[in-house]
Amino acid sequence: METVHSKDGTRIAFDRTGSGPALVCVGGALNDRGSAAPLAGLLAGRHTVLAYDRRGRGDSGDTPPYAVDREIEDLAAVLGAAGGSAAVYGMSSGAVLALRAAAAGLPVTRLALFEPPFHSGHDDRLTRARAYNTELTGLLADGRRGDALALFMEGVGMPREMVAQARNSPMWAALEALAPTLAYDSAVMDDARGGAMPEALIARVSAPALVVDGGDSPAWMRDTARRVAALLPAGTHRTLDGQSHDVAPEVLAPVLADFLA
C-alpha cells in the first residue's frame, strides 16, 4: 500500500501493480481498492495499475464536509502519484466520477468507462433517484447503516429475500463500514436532482474514450452507454456479450488493453 494526500489533506491509499503506462482504476459504489485487484493483475504485464480507496473507504481518510469536487481532487492526487497523467478506468458510479474529473480538466490521457448509470429524463427514474437520495441520506443521518445498504441493494435490483440473507452473512459488517459512502456516490450521480445525464459536461471531455456495457445488462443501461459514447467527442462504444453489470475481469481486461495500447 502507498498513500498520497489530497488537496484538503485527506490521506488516499492505493496499490500499484505491474509496469508500463499508468492506468488508474476508479471504483463504484461499495468498491474499495481490493475490488480492482483481479483486473489489475490481468493488466499488470502491460500497465502500471493504480487502484485506490476513494475517501471514506478502506485505508483512505475522510475529511468533512463531503463534496464531489473533493473526490476529483483525490483522483488528481492519484494521477500525480502515477506520474502526472494517466489513463483512467471507471466502473459504474466510478465511471461518472471519472467523467466529471476529465471534464474538470484533470490530465486523463485515455478514458474507459463501464456502464455509467445515468438516468433518462423521459421516465420515472428521475423521481426515483430523488426519492432514493432523500431516503438514503435520512437513514445515514439516523445511523441506520444496515437499512441504507438494504435500500441501495434493493434499488439496484437485488431481491428482498437475498438482501435479508446478505444481512446474516460474514460480509455484512464490512459493507456497513462502507455504507456512508453510498451518499458520496449518490452525490456523484447528482441523484438529488434526478441523476439525469449531464450532456454538456460529457461533451467537454476531449480525451479518447471507450464506453463499455454488458450484453446481458438491462436495456436502459445499454442505451445509456451508447448515448454517452455518442456524446463524447472522441468516444467509441463496445458491448461485451454475455456480461452484466458484474463484469468478469477476464473478459474486460483484453478489451481495455486493446483500447489503451
Side-chain angles (χ1 to χ4, degrees), residues 129-201:
R130 295 187 189 102
Y132 165 76
N133 177 265
T134 298
E135 187 172 359
L136 176 70
T137 53
L139 290 171
L140 291 172
D142 290 341
R144 296 167 59 188
R145 292 187 176 190
D147 291 337
L149 273 174
L151 176 71
F152 170 77
M153 290 176 172
E154 291 179 18
V156 298
M158 183 179 287
R160 186 164 296 179
E161 59 272 17
M162 289 185 64
V163 175
Q165 292 172 7
R167 280 184 181 267
N168 296 315
S169 72
M171 70 177 183
W172 192 256
L175 291 174
E176 280 200 353
L178 294 171
T181 65
L182 290 172
Y184 301 174
D185 285 288
S186 187
V188 167
M189 292 306 307
D190 201 17
D191 284 335
R193 294 195 294 178
M197 185 180 299
E199 296 185 358
L201 180 144

Side-chain angles (χ1 to χ4, degrees), residues 7-215:
K7 185 177 180 180
D8 70 349
T10 301
R11 183 190 68 221
I12 303 299
F14 66 95
D15 292 331
R16 192 190 307 256
T17 307
S19 61
L23 170 67
V24 176
C25 294
V26 185
L30 301 180
N31 286 180
D32 58 16
R33 72 183 192 276
S35 304
L39 181 65
L42 292 168
L43 294 171
R46 299 172 64 176
H47 294 277
T48 300
V49 184
L50 286 78
Y52 72 102
D53 285 330
R54 289 171 53 188
R55 63 173 54 208
R57 312 179 191 209
D59 292 300
S60 288
D62 198 4
T63 305
Y66 176 82
V68 175
D69 285 347
R70 301 294 81 75
E71 286 228 65
I72 293 174
E73 291 165 0
D74 299 345
L75 179 51
V78 178
L79 288 170
S85 64
V88 172
Y89 164 67
M91 166 67 185
S92 192
S93 54
V96 178
L97 177 57
L99 265 174
R100 295 192 185 282
L106 266 60
V108 176
T109 58
R110 298 179 79 83
L111 183 64
L113 311 170
F114 190 84
E115 294 189 343
F118 292 118
H119 297 306
S120 168
H122 303 291
D123 57 24
D124 64 349
R125 296 187 190 279
L126 294 172
T127 300
R128 284 156 51 189
R130 295 187 189 102
Y132 165 76
N133 177 265
T134 298
E135 187 172 359
L136 176 70
T137 53
L139 290 171
L140 291 172
D142 290 341
R144 296 167 59 188
R145 292 187 176 190
D147 291 337
L149 273 174
L151 176 71
F152 170 77
M153 290 176 172
E154 291 179 18
V156 298
M158 183 179 287
R160 186 164 296 179
E161 59 272 17
M162 289 185 64
V163 175
Q165 292 172 7
R167 280 184 181 267
N168 296 315
S169 72
M171 70 177 183
W172 192 256
L175 291 174
E176 280 200 353
L178 294 171
T181 65
L182 290 172
Y184 301 174
D185 285 288
S186 187
V188 167
M189 292 306 307
D190 201 17
D191 284 335
R193 294 195 294 178
M197 185 180 299
E199 296 185 358
L201 180 144
I202 295 169
R204 294 203 303 269
V205 176
S206 59
L210 171 68
V211 187
V212 185
D213 63 51

